[in-house]
Amino acid sequence: MSAFAGDPLAVQQATLASVLDTLDALAADRKTTLGIVLDEFQEITRFGVGRARSTGKTSDASRDDQPEWHLRGVMQRHQHLSYVLAGSKPALLEAMAGKNGAFYKMLDPYPFRPIPKDHMGAWIDERLDAVGLQSLGAGHWCLEWGGPRTRHIVRLARKCVDRAIPGATIDAAAVAAAFSEIVLDEEHEAVQTWWQRHSSQQQNLLRALAAEPMGPTTKEMRRRFSLDGGSAGNTLKSLVQAGDLIRSAYGSKHAFDDSFVRGWVIAKALPDLGIRDKAITHVATPTSEYDG
């Protein structure tokens, strides 16, 4: 569908509906059921009317203009298609499937838990060995710096292979170099565009989370990163709702959903505040609770 990305929203919606209707008709002719998997389907909320959809406060009149409601309508008329809607941003998925969301009571949620770290790390080391490379903790560092997204971890491991000469050792330095290449060369333009869509308050909060293990709503962090004490909490919530941040494994703490975005903020946005001592792979691991 990327070929139609420049078309007006209505044209994109009509094209998608036409494709799915054709598949439904084909399945009906063959007296069978087709399975359709829409990966990262939460990205549909990037089009159409603003961000009000994620709060559930939109009016019925505006729903037809929202791609997720349009998709719901298309899906409901199909009798020979079964849908799997896969996504990786829990906050957006929950909003779309929640009480005021487009897919309320239409979907059966099936959460996938992360692959156990020991298993994933060992698998990466084994795959490196299979292509003639020697892993020196590469699996561990791919998990440490590429997570929490599994596809980022795998992409980082693949980049290590692409950059290596036959028989090379893949150690922490090699993984860090691969991470840097992805962030600064391959992801730079996309992340820069994403960054510019955020307010200065949101940008400063993201800087704070990239730099330090302390919570961005503490007094010290508000001072250091020019965060408005009255709205820092609400800004944090807005970034979670947008899928930019997730709840981490540290209770009430928050973390970047995208490790490559985190690396970009460290490399390109922290220097704006004079912070240049953080490696691009730096992970601000929380160690204590904060008032967030």
Side-chain angles (χ1 to χ4, degrees):
M1 297 298 290
S2 60
F4 303 97
D7 292 339
L9 176 62
V11 174
Q12 293 186 48
Q13 290 179 337
T15 301
L16 176 61
S18 176
V19 170
L20 296 175
D21 288 344
T22 299
L23 292 174
D24 185 63
L26 178 63
D29 289 342
R30 296 185 178 183
K31 295 181 172 56
T32 188
T33 299
L34 290 178
I36 304 295
V37 180
L38 301 180
D39 194 19
E40 298 297 346
F41 91 105
Q42 79 277 341
E43 296 300 318
I44 199 171
T45 62
R46 291 182 179 273
F47 305 96
V49 180
R51 282 286 185 175
R53 60 173 61 83
S54 64
T55 67
K57 296 181 180 180
T58 56
S59 67
D60 290 340
S62 67
R63 286 179 175 177
D64 290 341
D65 296 325
Q66 298 179 16
E68 62 266 38
W69 285 96
H70 175 264
L71 178 59
R72 177 192 173 102
V74 172
M75 291 169 59
Q76 284 181 316
R77 66 177 180 247
H78 295 154
Q79 301 299 313
H80 301 276
L81 298 181
S82 292
Y83 287 90
V84 174
L85 307 181
S88 62
K89 295 190 175 182
L92 289 180
L93 299 176
E94 289 169 8
M96 286 193 285
K99 186 175 182 179
N100 295 306
F103 300 99
Y104 180 56
K105 291 187 176 181
M106 185 178 179
L107 305 175
D108 295 322
Y110 193 91
F112 285 85
R113 300 302 178 190
I115 299 172
K117 287 188 174 182
D118 289 346
H119 177 80
M120 185 70 176
W123 178 77
I124 291 174
D125 291 337
E126 290 171 2
R127 298 312 303 157
L128 290 174
D129 180 69
V131 296
L133 300 173
Q134 181 180 353
S135 173
L136 194 61
H140 166 78
W141 293 115
C142 286
L143 283 156
E144 181 73 10
W145 296 330
R149 295 187 182 184
T150 301
R151 67 177 180 275
H152 281 14
I153 295 170
V154 173
R155 180 179 173 186
L156 182 54
R158 287 175 174 168
K159 178 58 66 174
C160 290
V161 174
D162 292 343
R163 301 180 77 257
I165 61 174
T169 296
I170 309 301
D171 55 11
V175 178
F179 184 90
S180 181
E181 183 173 324
I182 291 173
V183 171
L184 300 180
D185 294 345
E186 299 176 8
E187 293 294 317
H188 171 68
E189 291 186 7
V191 179
Q192 184 177 53
T193 299
W194 166 88
W195 178 257
Q196 292 171 346
R197 291 200 301 263
H198 291 73
S199 68
S200 58
Q201 173 85 348
Q202 289 175 322
Q203 290 177 350
N204 282 342
L205 193 145
L206 290 167
R207 287 186 177 101
L209 283 172
E212 301 294 343
M214 299 171 60
T217 57
T218 61
K219 183 177 180 179
E220 172 63 14
M221 294 295 280
R222 291 199 302 265
R223 182 191 65 79
R224 287 189 59 195
F225 290 90
S226 301
L227 297 170
D228 186 329
S231 63
N234 289 333
T235 301
L236 187 64
K237 291 178 182 178
S238 73
L239 291 170
V240 172
Q241 288 178 340
D244 297 327
L245 300 177
I246 57 172
R247 292 275 185 177
S248 75
Y250 302 90
S252 65
K253 311 299 191 299
H254 294 81
F256 279 81
D257 173 64
D258 189 319
S259 59
F260 300 146
V261 168
R262 184 192 67 232
W264 187 95
V265 172
I266 292 169
K268 295 296 184 178
L270 284 184
D272 294 344
L273 299 184
I275 302 175
R276 298 181 173 84
D277 61 339
K278 307 294 182 185
I280 194 171
T281 53
H282 171 71
V283 181
T285 304
T287 55
S288 62
E289 290 293 323
Y290 65 86
D291 59 343

